Amino acid sequence: WQRFLRRWSLVAGCALLVSVASYLVFPQSYIYFGVLHGMALMLLLLRGLRSAPAWLLLVLAAICLVLPHMYRFWVGDDNSALVAALNARAGSVLGLVTHKPRTEDYVPVLPWLGVMLVGLVAGRHWLVPQYTVKSWWQQPVLSRIGRGLVWLGRHSLPYYMLHQLVLLGGLMLLLQ
């Protein structure tokens, strides 16, 4: 738990930093639930589901992936209080919306929790020592490009945060 909470705190802290920074730059459409926010919440959910059997995780994944599409089909043009609440900023975090909220980045729980659940099941079967499948990723990386990609994979959060600053800063300079 200590290792998990340390890593989770980094992701959640960066999500908060993204919200504050995006509010300063885009006050009308700041990022209130983007990639890092979604990851932080879904990592907690996955932590709670980590001991569930693979079949259950895959059923939950299928539901997560399909439910937002079915919801939009079911509600159509309904303007009920529930639909309005799910379309509001707080409710849109779930992902059952009839239109994309006004924000610079939006990664709701549904359907993305389904993708993470599939990844959890795949990771269990490919990376757990009880499975002895030999594969290309177990070989040492020798090429310069390969080592660079390994470094980026091991330092993905700082790279993600830095690339946002470079990209947005570059765009702002270009527009001025």
Side-chain angles (χ1 to χ4, degrees), residues 4-18 34-43 116 156-158 160-161:
F4 170 79
L5 288 175
R6 183 178 58 83
R7 289 182 179 179
W8 180 85
S9 296
L10 286 172
V11 173
C14 285
L16 181 61
L17 185 62
V18 164
V35 171
L36 295 175
H37 305 79
M39 284 179 63
L41 178 58
M42 290 181 266
L43 285 171
M116 291 184 80
S156 57
L157 184 59
Y160 180 81
M161 294 299 288

Side-chain angles (χ1 to χ4, degrees), residues 2-172:
Q2 183 179 3
R3 187 173 162 211
F4 170 79
L5 288 175
R6 183 178 58 83
R7 289 182 179 179
W8 180 85
S9 296
L10 286 172
V11 173
C14 285
L16 181 61
L17 185 62
V18 164
S19 289
V20 170
S22 69
Y23 183 78
L24 295 173
V25 178
F26 309 108
Q28 300 302 317
S29 60
Y30 71 96
I31 300 169
Y32 64 90
F33 204 79
V35 171
L36 295 175
H37 305 79
M39 284 179 63
L41 178 58
M42 290 181 266
L43 285 171
L44 290 174
L45 295 172
L46 288 177
R47 185 72 180 188
L49 292 168
R50 73 184 187 281
S51 60
W55 68 267
L56 178 60
L57 295 174
L58 292 174
V59 167
L60 287 173
I63 291 169
C64 290
L65 292 168
V66 171
L67 190 57
H69 304 290
M70 293 177 69
Y71 170 78
R72 281 189 291 280
F73 175 75
W74 287 331
V75 299
D77 294 331
D78 186 0
N79 291 325
S80 69
L82 177 62
V83 172
L86 290 172
N87 280 332
R89 205 169 256 166
S92 69
V93 167
L94 185 57
L96 298 177
V97 296
T98 57
H99 62 276
K100 183 187 176 291
R102 186 171 183 198
T103 180
E104 297 300 317
D105 188 20
Y106 178 59
V107 181
V109 174
L110 301 175
W112 295 107
L113 179 59
V115 175
M116 291 184 80
L117 287 166
V118 169
L120 176 62
V121 172
R124 267 192 204 167
H125 287 82
W126 289 333
L127 302 176
V128 175
Q130 70 188 25
Y131 299 97
T132 57
V133 177
K134 291 286 184 189
S135 62
W136 61 271
W137 66 74
Q138 292 173 318
Q139 304 303 316
V141 178
L142 301 176
S143 73
R144 178 175 259 155
I145 292 173
R147 286 193 309 268
L149 291 173
V150 167
W151 186 89
L152 285 174
R154 289 187 178 147
H155 301 89
S156 57
L157 184 59
Y159 175 78
Y160 180 81
M161 294 299 288
L162 182 63
H163 102 276
Q164 293 289 340
L165 291 173
V166 171
L167 180 66
L168 289 175
L171 285 173
M172 290 177 83

